[in-house]
Amino acid sequence: MVKRIVVGAHYGLRDWIGQRVTAIVMALYSVYFGICALMLPEMSYEAWSGMFAGGFMRFFSFLFFMSLFYHAWVGVRDIFMDYIQPVGIRLTLHVIVMFLLIGYAGWAAQILWRL
Amino acid sequence: MLPLLLSLFADSLGSAETFADYKDTVSNPLVKLILFGLLWAFLHHFCAGIRFLLLDVHKGLDLASSRQSARLVLIVSLVLTVLIGVKLW
């Protein structure tokens, strides 16, 4: 007989992997960003915006921000699941954090593609 | 803190004028202090994250080496913070 579990969220593994994949993306980006920033001849607007003008840098930066917000979502949600027991408050907090993170994602896209 | 960082990032990439605003903001000692605090938090999370990824693949799982790597994370992240902090000051 198949054992059916009727409680719980069942997305543990997906989020566990998501957390690690986004972590690796951010770690690689951090190193890449650090090297690029160190190679800038001077900290001027031209040099700095030039660094973000290339298609690859823009794409990688956007990927970093998406990873950051998904990673933050998993982390914050886990904290709320552990420490905020009243369902109403937890749901409210989840919704607030979710909308904030989606808003930040839009903001990041706007910054990167306005150049 | 994310809105602060994003607005600084937006200023730094907006135009030459907003870049000057950005420079003004980050030269404020209080802002600098906050940013270095965040830098430390980020680097600690970065190092600890690498440690957890290694633990995930069963590297250094025994008590002695995991204690040692925990200590190493603390030291390396502080050293990196100081190095980058000095570079950015």
Side-chain angles (χ1 to χ4, degrees):
Chain A
M1 194 185 126
V2 181
K3 189 166 181 269
R4 300 190 65 153
I5 304 161
V6 290
V7 292
H10 309 295
Y11 42 55
L13 183 65
R14 194 188 70 190
D15 280 355
W16 185 88
I17 291 173
Q19 196 179 33
R20 274 142 189 87
V21 170
T22 53
I24 291 166
V25 169
M26 286 185 289
L28 292 176
Y29 178 81
S30 303
V31 174
Y32 181 72
F33 171 85
I35 293 169
C36 287
L38 277 177
M39 289 197 321
L40 283 181
E42 41 156 14
M43 190 52 199
S44 66
Y45 176 68
E46 284 71 33
W48 176 248
S49 61
M51 185 175 131
F52 286 95
F56 178 73
M57 188 57 171
R58 216 172 273 195
F59 169 75
F60 204 7
S61 302
F62 187 65
L63 198 62
F64 167 80
F65 281 117
M66 293 306 105
S67 296
L68 176 68
F69 301 138
Y70 185 74
H71 196 86
W73 165 243
V74 174
V76 171
R77 198 212 53 200
D78 282 1
I79 292 168
F80 290 162
M81 288 202 304
D82 284 348
Y83 295 106
I84 312 289
Q85 294 306 329
V87 175
I89 301 173
R90 190 198 285 177
L91 186 67
T92 311
L93 287 172
H94 278 183
V95 170
I96 292 170
V97 170
M98 204 186 281
F99 280 126
L100 278 177
L101 290 174
I102 292 170
Y104 295 155
W107 192 2
Q110 188 231 356
I111 294 169
L112 286 168
W113 271 279
R114 195 179 42 185
L115 282 174
Chain B
M1 288 295 136
L2 276 172
L4 169 74
L5 294 178
L6 277 170
S7 74
L8 282 174
F9 188 53
D11 267 358
S12 79
L13 285 176
S15 66
E17 291 85 58
T18 61
F19 185 81
D21 294 342
Y22 153 81
K23 283 258 175 179
D24 273 353
T25 314
V26 294
S27 59
N28 179 312
L30 183 68
V31 175
K32 247 181 198 173
L33 193 68
I34 293 171
L35 289 178
F36 284 131
L38 289 174
L39 179 69
W40 180 34
F42 171 80
L43 288 168
H44 187 89
H45 201 101
F46 177 89
C47 295
I50 291 170
R51 173 171 176 261
F52 281 122
L53 286 173
L54 289 173
L55 291 176
D56 281 344
V57 293
H58 299 267
K59 290 261 191 296
L61 215 48
D62 61 292
L63 187 61
S65 49
S66 65
R67 282 217 171 121
Q68 204 176 8
S69 63
R71 203 169 295 134
L72 194 68
V73 162
L74 202 65
I75 296 166
V76 170
S77 61
L78 273 169
V79 170
L80 280 175
T81 308
V82 171
L83 284 178
I84 300 174
V86 168
K87 171 90 186 141
L88 289 181
W89 193 263

